[in-house]
Structures are given as structure tokens and as C-alpha cells.
Amino acid sequence: MYVIVIGPAGAGKTSIAKKISDEIANNSILVNLDPATKIDADIDIRKWVKIEELQEKYGLGINGALLKSMEIIAGMNEWIVKDKDKIKVIDTPGQLEIFLYHDYGKKIIEKLQEYDAVTVIFVVDAYEAISPENYIAMLAQNAIINLRLSISSITAINKIDLVDKNNISKFFDRKYLEKEIENADTLLSLAKGLLDYIEYTTIYTRPLLISAKTGEGLNELYDVIHEIHCTCGDLS
Ligand SMILES: Nc1nc2c(ncn2[C@@H]2O[C@H](COP(=O)(O)OP(=O)(O)OP(=O)(O)O)[C@@H](O)[C@H]2O)c(=O)[nH]1
Ligand SMILES: [Mg+2]
């Protein structure tokens, strides 16, 4: 199976990918698909694509070069590990728009699906999920990723060691969440509509609370990754 870790900058993608590969998954391979970051990976895209070289060759800034790199990566096969017996954990750049606004992410996933099952983990920082509005917006982003990539993604709220877990887990109760947004100064109907949309479009709706630092929740996350491919049903 391929486990692709995506999410906004600094959410903890690299930390999670490393931890899953080093400590959770047996027989795994860590793949670095971020041409801007040097990490100790088994397969490193920087062997073929280096961001600084693209910047120089095409006269691009860092963001333009990252987009260019994804176009190149989506068109090449050299980095793809095809061994079905291995869990291939793939770290990606912190530019979420590659997956939200461009087709490169989808192309990469479709290419990988030719060889093995693919699961996407959408990582967000726990600080970004502690208000009801932000929590709903985060779920909506995950739903959009599901739609854009045509694949179920699991939302993992990382850095849970830095916040009070209960402040987020109470949002798992939809009735509580609706009450909270009624009390908040927010566009109530939009938020409620979003909740319906999220439930309609997302296969795995309940986010997981994890910490790449302490390891909390990572075994459960790994179990869910496998459950998704066993049932593809309602796991909430
Ligand atoms: N306390 C705490 N810090 C974390 C956790 N996960 C990651 N960090 C820290 O958050 C920072 C960013 O972590 P990374 O793993 O590099 O995040 P990333 O999403 O790969 O970042 P980019 O690739 O730059 O987008 C680092 O300083 C990590 O040590 C966590 O679970 N708890
Ligand atoms: Mg990273």
C-alpha cells in the first residue's frame, strides 16, 4: 500500500511519515516527494529533481519551482517503488494547493494506483482545529481533497500534545458542534450546510487525534488506513 501524507506547511507531515515508517509500519519504505527538503529517506526525489536547480533553469521563485517539480514528478516513474509487500510512506511538500488546485496530485495518485492501493492522510495542526468554525473548515477541506483526488482521505489532527484534547474531541458529537456554531458569531446556515456536505462527501468522517512527537494515536491511524481498504464503508 502507498500512504501519502499531505497537508499545509508545518503541520507535521514529515514527522508523521518518518514515525509511521520507522516505528509503526513493519516492512516499510519512506519516500521523500518534497524536492525542497532533505530528509533521511529510502527513496529521495531529490536524486532526480532539486528545487534549487529548477529555480535556476526556469528562472522561477520557490512556489513556481515547486509546481514545476510536481509536473515533472507526475510524469516520471523512477521514484515509484512497486513492491506490493511493502508499505510505501510518501512525504509531500507543504504546498497544499498542489493537491487542491492542480491535477498533479491526482495524476501521481492515479499512477500509484496502477501498482498498489493508495491511502491519503490529510494532516492539520491541532491549533487550527480548536474553534468550531475552524474545525468545520478543516473537515470541508478534507472533503474537497476527497473530491479532487477521487480518493478517501483520513484527517489526522496532529500536535495533540500541545492542546487540550477534549477541546477538539467534543466536536465529534454533531449535536454539540451545531449548538456551538449557533452560539458563535458565524454564518450558521453555511456552517450547517457544510456539515451535511461533509457527511455526504467524506467516507471517513471522524478525524483522528495524533501526535508525531509522542506517538499518541499513530497505531489507531495505521489501523484505520487498513480498515479503509478492507471495508470502504461507514467507519464513523
Ligand atoms: N509538539 C509537537 N511538535 C510537532 C509534532 N509534529 C511535528 N512537530 C514539529 O512541527 C514542526 C514542523 O514539523 P514537520 O514534520 O517538518 O512539518 P511538515 O508538515 O513536514 O512541514 P513542511 O514540509 O515544511 O510543510 C517541527 O518543528 C516538528 O518538530 C507533534 O506532534 N507535536
Ligand atoms: Mg515536510
Side-chain angles (χ1 to χ4, degrees), residues 8-15 34 91-92 94 158-159 161-162 211-213:
K13 298 174 296 298
T14 302
S15 307
D34 182 353
D91 186 23
T92 65
N158 187 39
K159 307 190 190 182
D161 57 290
L162 296 178
S211 167
K213 187 176 179 185

Side-chain angles (χ1 to χ4, degrees), residues 4-195:
I4 308 183
V5 187
I6 68 170
K13 298 174 296 298
T14 302
S15 307
I16 291 167
K18 274 183 121 159
K19 195 94 168 176
I20 292 177
S21 178
D22 291 350
E23 295 175 31
I24 309 287
N26 289 324
N27 203 13
S28 71
I29 281 200
L30 180 61
V31 180
N32 176 32
L33 219 54
D34 182 353
T37 306
K38 290 177 192 155
I39 64 167
D40 188 15
D42 301 301
I43 304 286
D44 191 346
I45 198 65
R46 286 179 57 83
K47 184 173 169 192
W48 302 278
V49 184
K50 289 197 183 77
I51 214 72
E52 56 276 18
E53 288 178 5
L54 291 182
Q55 281 187 270
E56 201 174 314
K57 185 170 175 192
Y58 296 99
L60 294 167
I62 182 81
N63 290 319
L66 257 174
L67 268 185
K68 184 75 190 164
S69 74
M70 285 299 135
E71 183 190 329
I72 295 168
I73 292 166
M76 61 187 274
N77 281 339
E78 287 85 339
W79 60 272
I80 298 178
V81 180
K82 296 171 187 161
D83 187 346
K84 276 196 106 165
D85 294 335
K86 298 216 184 280
I87 302 290
K88 285 84 60 182
V89 185
I90 302 176
D91 186 23
T92 65
Q95 251 195 353
L96 195 54
E97 64 256 45
I98 291 168
F99 294 92
L100 283 183
Y101 299 118
H102 300 276
D103 274 343
Y104 305 130
K106 186 165 186 175
K107 276 191 190 143
I108 288 170
I109 286 170
E110 283 172 353
K111 201 183 259 268
L112 293 175
Q113 282 171 329
E114 287 173 29
Y115 306 107
D116 208 346
V118 178
T119 302
V120 170
I121 304 174
F122 172 50
V123 182
V124 289
D125 190 313
Y127 275 122
E128 307 299 334
I130 44 180
S131 77
E133 299 93 317
N134 286 0
Y135 176 81
I136 294 170
M138 177 206 70
L139 290 185
Q141 269 188 9
N142 186 42
I144 288 166
I145 289 168
N146 281 212
L147 287 177
R148 287 247 17 178
L149 301 181
S150 310
I151 194 169
S152 57
S153 54
I154 305 161
T155 305
I157 302 178
N158 187 39
K159 307 190 190 182
I160 204 68
D161 57 290
L162 296 178
V163 300
D164 181 351
K165 218 163 58 170
N166 295 328
N167 283 342
I168 297 176
S169 59
K170 62 192 180 189
F171 297 147
F172 294 168
D173 177 354
R174 176 161 172 167
K175 285 206 164 53
Y176 177 86
L177 192 54
E178 284 188 4
K179 241 181 143 163
E180 281 289 294
I181 49 181
E182 270 168 31
N183 296 333
D185 180 19
T186 187
L187 291 169
L188 178 62
S189 58
L190 169 67
K192 277 193 175 162
L194 260 181
L195 279 179

